[in-house]
Amino acid sequence: MKKLLCLFSTVALTLISCSSEDDTSTSSGTQLTKIIETYDDGTVETVSFEYNGNKIVNVSSDLDFRDETIYTYTGDLITKEEYFFDDGAGFSFEEVIDYEYDSSSRLIKSIRTDEDGEIEIDDFTYNSNGTVSFITTANSTTVASGTIYFNGNQPYKKEITENPGTAFEVSWVEETTFDSKISPFTNVTGFAKIAIGTPKYTRGYPGIVNNSLDFSIDDNLDDSSSYTYNSNDMPATETYIDFDNSDNNSTIQYIYN
């Protein structure tokens, strides 16, 4: 799913609120099992979620051909995220992200390896003021650095500089706003831990506690979502608007068990 698969394949789900509330309910449970997204051109994509208890095991999409993301846990921590694409000739490897944690189960490193074997490493430092600093390296060269800001447990803002200290240095700020309702991913074991992973590669932040609304870059609105909610105060439907590419505009249905 162009927007929502970003939640899981670091490809990232990043999204004012004109949210409306009702008692619309697609099912009575709280574990998200399927998302059906209908784009403005009539294309329909279904994203399916598989779990082992509250641990995410697999996320797959049927748009065009098929892609899927497979998760590996060590205890309650996600330690590997593998992305595969099926072009009709069988699944092929696209990328893998390995995650490392400190003794307090805080993410301290994400390592992304793409299909060509290129590797980017993100190292995270937890600061006394509650922010997290990161440095991204590739081939022993610093390619990005920045700072991540939190509202409680929810990362919401990222200051990033690419190619620091070079003639190609460029900096910007990404910020995501959230509603006050319950994210479908709140109870997914280990998901909150990896939300800050691969900060150079991903855009904005998914909803860990609540649901993402506006996503902006340097205070310029990039995309926006509004929701209706079910009786569990979780999203039932979403209207998504991409201000840069209207081909991505869609309506989304959330299905739970």
Side-chain angles (χ1 to χ4, degrees), residues 89-110:
F91 281 105
S92 61
F93 169 79
E94 290 291 314
E95 69 177 29
V96 60
I97 304 169
D98 294 289
Y99 299 103
E100 298 180 10
Y101 303 84
D102 64 13
S103 59
S104 299
S105 297
R106 300 181 303 183
L107 185 68
I108 56 172
K109 190 184 294 285
S110 58

Side-chain angles (χ1 to χ4, degrees), residues 5 7-10 50 55-59 68-73 78-82 99 191 194:
L5 272 181
L7 277 179
F8 292 98
S9 53
T10 68
E50 297 180 17
K55 295 180 179 180
I56 189 74
V57 173
N58 182 291
V59 179
E68 68 176 23
T69 306
I70 298 172
Y71 299 87
T72 300
Y73 281 79
I78 297 172
T79 50
K80 182 176 291 188
E81 183 177 4
E82 298 171 282
Y99 299 103
F191 177 64
I194 66 171

Side-chain angles (χ1 to χ4, degrees), residues 135-148:
I135 295 176
T136 306
T137 57
N139 298 318
S140 301
T141 299
T142 298
V143 295
S145 62
T147 304
I148 299 166

Side-chain angles (χ1 to χ4, degrees), residues 209-223:
V209 180
N210 308 120
N211 304 286
S212 51
L213 294 172
D214 292 345
F215 171 68
S216 60
I217 300 176
D218 290 337
D219 293 325
N220 295 311
L221 189 61
D222 197 79
D223 54 56

Side-chain angles (χ1 to χ4, degrees), residues 36-74:
I36 301 172
E37 182 167 16
T38 303
Y39 297 94
D40 283 1
D41 66 1
T43 300
V44 178
E45 178 180 8
T46 299
V47 179
S48 300
F49 301 83
E50 297 180 17
Y51 305 87
N52 179 6
N54 286 329
K55 295 180 179 180
I56 189 74
V57 173
N58 182 291
V59 179
S60 61
S61 165
D62 66 356
L63 185 64
D64 296 327
F65 293 99
R66 187 168 186 261
D67 53 36
E68 68 176 23
T69 306
I70 298 172
Y71 299 87
T72 300
Y73 281 79
T74 300

Side-chain angles (χ1 to χ4, degrees), residues 3-256:
K3 179 178 70 72
L4 286 168
L5 272 181
C6 299
L7 277 179
F8 292 98
S9 53
T10 68
V11 186
L13 179 60
T14 46
L15 306 167
I16 354 177
S17 172
C18 51
S19 300
S20 61
E21 297 181 33
D22 63 18
D23 239 9
T24 302
S25 179
T26 54
S27 52
S28 59
T30 59
Q31 188 172 73
L32 182 67
T33 58
K34 189 175 292 185
I35 293 172
I36 301 172
E37 182 167 16
T38 303
Y39 297 94
D40 283 1
D41 66 1
T43 300
V44 178
E45 178 180 8
T46 299
V47 179
S48 300
F49 301 83
E50 297 180 17
Y51 305 87
N52 179 6
N54 286 329
K55 295 180 179 180
I56 189 74
V57 173
N58 182 291
V59 179
S60 61
S61 165
D62 66 356
L63 185 64
D64 296 327
F65 293 99
R66 187 168 186 261
D67 53 36
E68 68 176 23
T69 306
I70 298 172
Y71 299 87
T72 300
Y73 281 79
T74 300
D76 287 337
L77 300 174
I78 297 172
T79 50
K80 182 176 291 188
E81 183 177 4
E82 298 171 282
Y83 178 67
F84 298 88
F85 177 72
D86 182 0
D87 62 1
F91 281 105
S92 61
F93 169 79
E94 290 291 314
E95 69 177 29
V96 60
I97 304 169
D98 294 289
Y99 299 103
E100 298 180 10
Y101 303 84
D102 64 13
S103 59
S104 299
S105 297
R106 300 181 303 183
L107 185 68
I108 56 172
K109 190 184 294 285
S110 58
I111 305 167
R112 186 177 70 88
T113 305
D114 68 18
E115 60 184 324
D116 297 318
E118 298 295 323
I119 299 173
E120 281 190 352
I121 301 173
D122 307 288
D123 291 289
F124 302 94
T125 300
Y126 292 78
N127 305 313
S128 59
N129 64 357
T131 63
V132 174
S133 301
F134 66 89
I135 295 176
T136 306
T137 57
N139 298 318
S140 301
T141 299
T142 298
V143 295
S145 62
T147 304
I148 299 166
Y149 295 81
F150 295 78
N151 182 2
N153 294 326
Q154 175 67 63
Y156 74 95
K157 185 169 73 171
K158 174 171 52 183
E159 297 172 345
I160 184 168
T161 299
E162 281 194 356
N163 305 308
T166 73
F168 303 101
E169 178 177 304
V170 59
S171 298
W172 68 93
V173 178
E174 299 177 3
E175 187 165 358
T176 308
T177 64
F178 300 87
D179 64 11
S180 60
K181 302 299 184 180
I182 300 171
S183 167
F185 310 104
T186 297
N187 295 320
V188 177
T189 301
F191 177 64
K193 302 286 186 181
I194 66 171
I196 64 171
T198 61
K200 172 181 175 291
Y201 183 58
T202 59
R203 287 163 34 100
Y205 291 107
I208 302 301
V209 180
N210 308 120
N211 304 286
S212 51
L213 294 172
D214 292 345
F215 171 68
S216 60
I217 300 176
D218 290 337
D219 293 325
N220 295 311
L221 189 61
D222 197 79
D223 54 56
S224 183
S225 288
S226 59
Y227 301 88
T228 65
Y229 302 93
N230 63 22
S231 58
N232 293 313
D233 272 347
M234 304 176 81
T237 65
E238 176 183 354
T239 300
Y240 173 71
I241 300 173
D242 186 332
F243 295 101
D244 288 334
N245 185 356
S246 61
D247 289 343
N248 291 335
N249 293 350
S250 65
T251 57
I252 302 159
Q253 180 184 12
Y254 291 77
I255 299 174
Y256 306 83

